[in-house]
Amino acid sequence: MLTIKNLHASINGKEILRGIDLTVNAGEVHAIMGPNGSGKSTLSAVLTGNPLFTVTEGEVYFNGKNLLEMKPEDRSREGIFLSFQYPVEIPGVSMANFMRAAINAHRTYQGLEPISASDFLKMMREKKELVELDAKLTNRSVNEGFSGGEKKRNEIFQMAMLEPKLSILDETDSGLDIDALRIVAEGVNKLKRDDNACMVITHYQRLLDYIKPDIVHVLYKGKIVRTAGPELALELEERGYEWIKQQVDEE
Ligand SMILES: Nc1ncnc2c1ncn2[C@@H]1O[C@H](COP(=O)(O)OP(=O)(O)OP(=O)(O)O)[C@@H](O)[C@H]1O
């Protein structure tokens, strides 16, 4: 589904990603861990087309298409979803109008008719139940006055509505409480299918108590320096990153 080859990216002339190689197949959940400042958020920003970052080398293919040539909105329409650490409030725009516009933008791109009012309402109802979103929240403006946990749940609701092929969840340093962590995790687990995939950026093993990753990667100094099964996250929880840093710096 996603193939990243030797990806280098920089910001203001400073190289942050220094040769990322990563393959994500349909049906897989990947956890991206790593010390502060190693480039985890930069990787999600580059994949979704944040214009602040410049790709200086490498290739990224998403379902056979050259991702780096696509505009950010087309990456979304192709099925990439980024859950933000700090979701923005959009006063004056109702959740229903926002979601309907987003779904129809995707449908137009796929050459489909706009979704009918009855299908849309049915979908809203089903997905609200799936992620246990309080029905009252969808009558309000997008994220306006939502608590941190409500915003997070709303992000997962949007993810459920858009049915992305690849979800990237950036939870770095987010100060999520244990309930919000569980919401994110349950959402990911419920939405997991054989034909979609998920990349979870996290500092905390505790998120991975709820989401079972198939593969865990450690990013350090802009490169993936270790890749293993879920046992790697447990080892990091126990031993920290120092031992990996030392090993890598000596290599
Ligand atoms: N606008 C910017 N200007 C200069 N440097 C930046 C900018 N944005 C990010 N960086 C630097 O890029 C490096 C990687 O940052 P990034 O946020 O990707 O790391 P991270 O692994 O997600 O870190 P954390 O775990 O602390 O969230 C850091 O050294 C950071 O200071």
Side-chain angles (χ1 to χ4, degrees), residues 11-12 14 16 34-43 53 172-173 203:
I11 186 160
N12 300 331
K14 180 182 170 194
I16 311 289
N36 290 130
S38 53
K40 302 181 296 295
S41 295
T42 301
L43 177 61
F53 295 89
T172 341
D173 189 30
H203 279 297

Side-chain angles (χ1 to χ4, degrees), residues 1-7 19-25 28 30-32 43 47 59-61 199 215-217 219 224 227:
M1 177 180 285
L2 180 75
T3 310
I4 304 176
K5 285 185 198 160
N6 192 30
L7 182 64
I20 301 271
D21 290 296
L22 176 66
T23 302
V24 178
N25 297 307
E28 291 176 349
H30 289 239
I32 313 274
L43 177 61
L47 291 178
E59 298 174 321
V60 182
Y61 285 91
M199 271 170 65
I215 299 166
V216 176
H217 308 275
L219 204 64
I224 291 179
T227 294

Side-chain angles (χ1 to χ4, degrees), residues 1-3 22-30 61-64 78-79 164-167 191-199 213-215:
M1 177 180 285
L2 180 75
T3 310
L22 176 66
T23 302
V24 178
N25 297 307
E28 291 176 349
V29 175
H30 289 239
Y61 285 91
F62 182 60
N63 286 327
E78 285 287 337
K165 292 179 188 138
L166 175 67
S167 303
L191 297 171
K192 185 178 174 177
R193 296 199 316 224
D194 288 346
D195 61 350
N196 65 21
C198 186
M199 271 170 65
D214 300 295
I215 299 166

Side-chain angles (χ1 to χ4, degrees), residues 159-178:
M159 179 176 143
M161 289 290 285
L162 291 171
E163 299 181 335
K165 292 179 188 138
L166 175 67
S167 303
I168 305 171
L169 307 177
D170 189 351
E171 299 305 317
T172 341
D173 189 30
S174 55
L176 287 179
D177 67 22
I178 200 74

